[in-house]
Amino acid sequence: MKNPPERTDIYPSESLDDARILEIGNRLKAGETCVIPTETVYGLAANGLLSAAIQKIYTAKGRPADNPLILHVDSPQRVQAIVTDISDDAKTLMRTFWPGPLTLIFHKQAHVPDAVTGGLDSVAVRMPAHPLTLKLIQAADVPLAAPSANRSGRPSSTRFSHVYDDLNGRVDMIIDDGDSPIGIESTVVDCTGEHPAILRPGQIDQAALEMVLKKNVPYATHTHGAPKSPGVKYGHYQPKGDVELCLGEDAQVHAYLAAKEFDAKRRIIASLEWADQYPSLPVTPLGSIHDFNSIMKTLYATLRQMDDEKVETIYLVAHPSWPESLLDRMKKAANHHVKTFENEA
Ligand code: AMP
Ligand code: MG
């Protein structure tokens, strides 16, 4: 195994025939690293059962060693080889939402390396809804550990250019598959206890989980006090400039921002509708509030754009009624620097 890689092989996804997929799978199995597309964000993959390969992920990303990784599988059957028990609720969630943007936490079998789990006795597993990724896992014939394909602390990569900027020359292979379809990371649900609990919100939201399981599915941090998911304690998704998240009614946020002075180093990020309403302010628009998926898809790219344009102060405008998954990523981008406007009605 070479470490660090001398060069990075880049493969456009449309160039990958079955023979090439098998070759990449074999290289992954042997311990090389490859950036793979998934439906959520790009992942930096390695053989999830080989400690030396997993170590390369931490080195390439600069990720803290106690922040565990998700194992990606190509079928529910492959889960049985890495976990000790699958609760009825977990089975229901797998049947309903896999393949898809839902990660489940199970008790791990002894042979799952500590390097994957950060020393925990549990392991995170997901079956992604991306045909090419499923073929790659099948070709590798092992679960692939794959955290988001960004340098630690930066926004997750949702475009090939993000992957290239962060990891070219630091990994063995990159697959270029254009833009990530969803744009934010998977929902994480802890299935190790008697009752499932949400560790990280995502596109599959609390209401969807509760409807399927016919019971309350609380946020773990609300019920257990200390965060159970090690990743939540780290700064995440942060652009280089200072970010303030402004949460309130459009007019209130506008009054607050209109009183500020703007130059090229200060910028507002807001929905298309907010931008249209206040054309005199320097707004970089996200998607439309009538399609939150479009906002999820563009959020990280827009935060990275602020770095490219050397913006030093960013006002991120959102509304308290927006999906929990979006507000969570936005709060992290703002390093929890949030200005909330009380409703005066
Ligand atoms: P990433 O793959 O970078 O999106 O991060 C994976 C997320 O899953 C992080 O927030 C981790 O802390 C969380 N995670 C992974 N494994 C576990 C585990 N065994 N228990 C709890 N959380 C986990
Ligand atoms: Mg990440």
Side-chain angles (χ1 to χ4, degrees):
M1 279 186 264
K2 49 193 166 77
N3 193 17
E6 288 121 39
R7 59 182 276 262
T8 299
D9 295 326
I10 294 175
Y11 302 108
S13 59
E14 61 273 14
S15 74
L16 297 178
D17 55 18
D18 287 350
R20 181 72 81 184
I21 290 172
L22 191 60
E23 179 196 313
I24 296 172
N26 285 332
R27 289 176 66 182
L28 276 163
K29 187 172 194 172
E32 293 194 33
T33 51
C34 180
V35 174
I36 59 171
T38 81
E39 80 279 32
T40 56
V41 300
Y42 275 92
L44 168 47
N47 181 340
L49 301 180
L50 201 61
S51 295
I54 295 153
Q55 199 48 54
K56 291 182 183 177
I57 293 178
Y58 286 96
T59 307
K61 281 186 61 115
R63 182 177 173 111
D66 68 342
N67 192 0
L69 310 178
I70 297 170
L71 289 184
H72 291 70
V73 296
D74 57 342
S75 68
Q77 287 71 35
R78 207 182 282 281
V79 183
Q80 280 154 14
I82 49 183
V83 312
T84 56
D85 52 83
I86 304 178
S87 67
D88 287 343
D89 284 340
K91 282 181 191 146
T92 304
L93 293 176
M94 287 159 75
R95 222 177 18 248
T96 310
F97 295 111
W98 281 12
L102 178 68
T103 296
L104 302 178
I105 311 288
F106 299 101
H107 292 293
K108 79 176 187 87
Q109 288 187 23
H111 70 101
V112 175
D114 280 344
V116 167
T117 64
L120 297 172
D121 62 5
S122 58
V123 63
V125 189
R126 174 166 109 80
M127 179 177 173
H130 193 295
L132 173 60
T133 314
L134 293 174
K135 279 191 194 175
L136 282 166
I137 302 167
Q138 199 176 26
D141 199 26
V142 286
L144 295 179
S148 49
N150 51 280
R151 296 295 292 271
S152 200
R154 296 207 73 197
S156 298
S157 294
T158 56
R159 311 264 192 272
F160 169 70
S161 63
H162 305 162
V163 173
Y164 189 86
D165 288 350
D166 278 17
L167 295 172
N168 185 46
R170 303 180 68 86
V171 296
D172 296 298
M173 301 169 273
I174 296 175
I175 296 173
D176 173 2
D177 189 50
D179 300 351
S180 304
I182 294 180
I184 65 166
E185 306 79 358
S186 58
T187 309
V188 180
V189 174
D190 181 9
C191 293
T192 58
E194 209 175 314
H195 296 286
I198 301 169
L199 299 182
R200 176 173 74 184
Q203 197 198 41
I204 294 174
D205 63 11
Q206 188 176 31
L209 296 166
E210 292 185 339
M211 196 171 76
V212 164
L213 293 180
K214 301 185 178 64
K215 61 169 79 163
N216 291 338
V217 184
Y219 284 93
T221 42
H222 294 185
T223 55
H224 301 164
K228 204 181 164 195
S229 189
V232 303
K233 71 172 182 273
Y234 292 107
H236 253 104
Y237 319 121
Q238 285 162 9
K240 294 185 184 118
D242 288 328
V243 182
E244 182 175 47
L245 176 60
C246 302
L247 270 186
E249 300 302 326
D250 288 359
Q252 291 174 313
V253 176
H254 173 253
Y256 171 68
L257 293 177
K260 297 193 180 291
E261 302 225 332
F262 283 91
D263 59 20
K265 292 187 163 29
R266 289 168 170 258
R267 191 74 57 81
I268 297 167
I269 298 176
S271 67
L272 278 172
E273 288 78 7
W274 203 94
D276 283 350
Q277 222 177 322
Y278 307 113
S280 62
L281 289 173
V283 183
T284 301
L286 296 163
S288 163
I289 53 167
H290 303 298
D291 175 15
F292 284 114
N293 290 336
S294 68
I295 297 184
M296 290 178 196
K297 244 176 116 100
T298 47
L299 178 64
Y300 293 152
T302 308
L303 292 172
R304 282 175 177 260
Q305 185 190 336
M306 298 298 110
D307 286 355
D308 296 341
E309 295 179 14
K310 306 207 167 15
V311 176
E312 291 174 2
T313 306
I314 301 158
Y315 300 100
L316 196 49
V317 177
H319 191 275
S321 65
W322 284 17
E324 196 55 40
S325 54
L326 262 179
L327 295 178
D328 171 73
R329 301 323 188 268
M330 289 179 159
K331 282 175 193 160
K332 286 173 176 166
N335 201 10
H336 301 281
H337 181 195
V338 184
K339 174 135 185 87
T340 308
F341 299 83
E342 295 305 327
N343 200 334
E344 281 150 12

